[in-house]
């Protein structure tokens, strides 16, 4: 039923990196008339074979649909593609959904530009890799005018997964993206470092893996518990006070530096914990640091 309805709809996808190609592929799969364009030619071969229409320029591509989804490396690239007179003239009265990752500030800047050119603008973030796009596992966040989101929601949902409209503040999807990728990249930095230290101690990635996954599984209940703690501003350290955490961190710094492995990330974390102790919070739980970091 959905694809019969969507067959009437057209969508343009600008940017055919791994993510843009996945988005365009999911739109095609859902039966939408899909027009694609990429700065570097030749990235559309597979999509054209699957029925997409190719465009010779960004302006030709956006002219083909009322809705354009752009997914390029960042908002500098979005500027390079959209903020040109020829493209802006065609976009007037049409909608752009920007699924490129960047900062809340850049989303607001693009929204200002769009408003000044009569372009209807939504900003979004994709919280999963490209492989789950088109499946129930994909996760999309959206921000911007609620009525505009409601208008394009059915087409966006052709991308599969869950779609959450976070509110009218155009920077909100990017704000969630920043916070969530903050978790992801510091965890990845920790894991990369852990692999190096483990290898120096003769432990392979394969040997570590089951226990590494176990460590990650500790986090969801901590995140759950942190909601109430941050709301109350109270971070009980009963099971694991900051004084105990810094001791554990110091062992990691010591062991990695003894192997000549840089411990900068862990030193930074240990430094934050020691400052919390210095301010009299040694008996609190580790997430007291969130409150201290936010203090002016
Ligand atoms: P990249 O982040 O590498 O972006 C590649 C795309 O950006 C290509 O289409 C490239 O065009 C285009 N591009 C780069 N610079 C410019 C420019 N100056 N002008 C025009 N186009 C430009 O690959 P992805 O497709 O993976 O990512 C796209 C976005 O999706 C990023 O913001 C990324 O953070 C986000 N994302 C990606 C995920 C993933 O797993 N891949 C997961 C979640 C979000 P060209 O081919 O001409 O170089």
């Amino acid at each position: 039923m959905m694809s019969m309805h969507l067959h009437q709809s057209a969508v343009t996808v600008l940017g055919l990196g791994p993510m843009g190609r996945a988005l365009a592929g999911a739109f095609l799969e859902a039966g939408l008339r899909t027009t694609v364009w990429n700065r570097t030619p030749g990235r559309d071969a597979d999509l054209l074979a699957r029925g997409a229409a190719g465009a010779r320029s960004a302006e030709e591509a956006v002219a083909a649909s009322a809705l354009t989804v752009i997914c390029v490396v960042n908002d500098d690239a979005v500027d390079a593609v959209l903020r040109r007179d020829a493209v802006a003239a065609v976009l007037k009265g049409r909608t752009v959904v920007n699924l490129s990752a960047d900062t809340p500030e850049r989303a607001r800047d693009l929204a200002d530009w769009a408003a000044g050119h009569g372009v209807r603008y939504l900003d979004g973030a994709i919280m999963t890799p490209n492989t789950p796009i088109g499946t129930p596992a994909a996760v999309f966040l959206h921000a911007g005018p609620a009525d505009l989101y409601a208008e394009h929601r059915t087409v966006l949902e052709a991308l599969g997964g869950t779609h959450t409209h976070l509110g009218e503040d155009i920077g909100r999807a990017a704000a969630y993206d920043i916070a969530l990728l903050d978790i992801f990249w510091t965890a990845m930095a920790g894991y990369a470092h852990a692999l190096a230290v483990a290898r120096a101690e003769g432990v392979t990635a394969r040997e570590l893996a089951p226990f590494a996954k176990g460590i990650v599984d500790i986090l969801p209940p901590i995140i759950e518990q942190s909601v109430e703690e941050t709301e109350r501003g109270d971070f009980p350290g009963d099971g694991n006070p900051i004084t105990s955490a810094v001791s554990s961190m110091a062992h990691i710094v010591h062991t990695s530096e003894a192997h000549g492995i840089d411990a900068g990330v862990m030193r930074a974390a240990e430094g934050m914990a020691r400052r919390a102790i210095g301010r009299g919070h040694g008996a609190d739980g580790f997430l007291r640091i969130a409150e201290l970091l936010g203090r002016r």
Side-chain angles (χ1 to χ4, degrees):
M1 270 237 329
M2 185 166 88
S3 66
M4 271 177 69
H5 169 69
L6 289 177
H7 196 66
Q8 309 306 315
S9 306
V11 64
T12 289
V13 177
L14 301 179
L16 300 176
M19 187 54 90
R21 288 200 298 273
L23 299 173
F27 282 136
L28 282 171
E29 199 64 33
L32 280 100
R33 277 194 289 120
T34 307
T35 302
V36 295
W37 174 85
N38 189 63
R39 176 184 62 173
T40 306
R43 302 258 149 87
D44 55 3
D46 176 56
L47 295 163
L48 298 188
R50 292 169 63 190
R56 278 161 304 178
S57 65
E59 45 271 43
E60 187 184 306
V62 299
S65 318
L67 171 64
T68 287
V69 172
I70 184 163
C71 189
V72 286
V73 62
N74 55 29
D75 284 350
D76 279 343
V78 174
D79 283 352
V81 175
L82 299 185
R83 287 167 101 151
R84 294 185 291 115
D85 291 346
V87 176
V90 184
L91 276 178
K92 196 169 171 46
R94 300 178 199 261
T95 301
V96 171
V97 175
N98 179 17
L99 295 180
S100 318
D102 212 306
T103 63
E105 190 188 1
R106 291 300 296 268
R108 292 184 187 112
D109 181 56
L110 264 163
D112 286 346
W113 169 84
H117 289 78
V119 179
R120 305 161 86 215
Y121 183 75
L122 290 166
D123 199 81
I126 305 169
M127 301 322 308
T128 43
N130 63 334
T131 39
I133 303 300
T135 78
V139 176
F140 296 88
L141 304 177
H142 302 280
D147 54 348
L148 190 57
Y149 176 69
E151 198 179 308
H152 296 289
R153 186 181 169 162
T154 312
V155 172
L156 293 170
E157 286 179 351
L159 294 170
T162 60
H163 291 257
T164 307
H165 181 246
L166 298 167
E168 300 232 341
D169 171 5
I170 198 73
R172 214 165 154 78
Y176 274 62
D177 191 43
I178 293 290
L180 296 170
L181 293 180
D182 195 347
I183 303 171
F184 181 72
W185 286 121
T186 45
M188 286 294 280
Y191 182 50
H193 191 262
L195 287 176
V197 176
R199 187 172 55 216
E201 285 288 335
V203 179
T204 66
R206 185 178 299 281
E207 288 169 321
L208 195 65
F211 302 99
K213 287 190 261 183
I215 285 289
V216 172
D217 287 344
I218 295 174
L219 290 178
I222 290 177
I223 290 171
E224 198 61 52
Q225 193 185 334
S226 74
V227 174
E228 268 197 29
E229 290 182 356
T230 48
E231 279 169 5
R232 282 201 318 266
D234 179 29
F235 301 88
D238 309 336
N240 191 0
I242 299 179
T243 44
S244 169
V246 286
S247 165
S248 150
M249 292 169 150
H251 301 151
I252 297 163
V253 169
H254 177 84
T255 305
S256 50
E257 290 180 352
H259 284 295
I261 295 170
D262 179 85
V265 173
M266 187 52 64
R267 275 194 175 278
E270 186 192 348
M272 291 195 294
R274 291 206 184 278
R275 283 193 291 282
I277 294 170
R279 290 185 186 190
H281 294 292
D284 287 356
F286 190 76
L287 291 180
R288 166 66 68 188
I289 288 171
E291 190 247 352
L292 295 175
L293 284 172
R295 271 190 204 167
R296 303 261 162 128

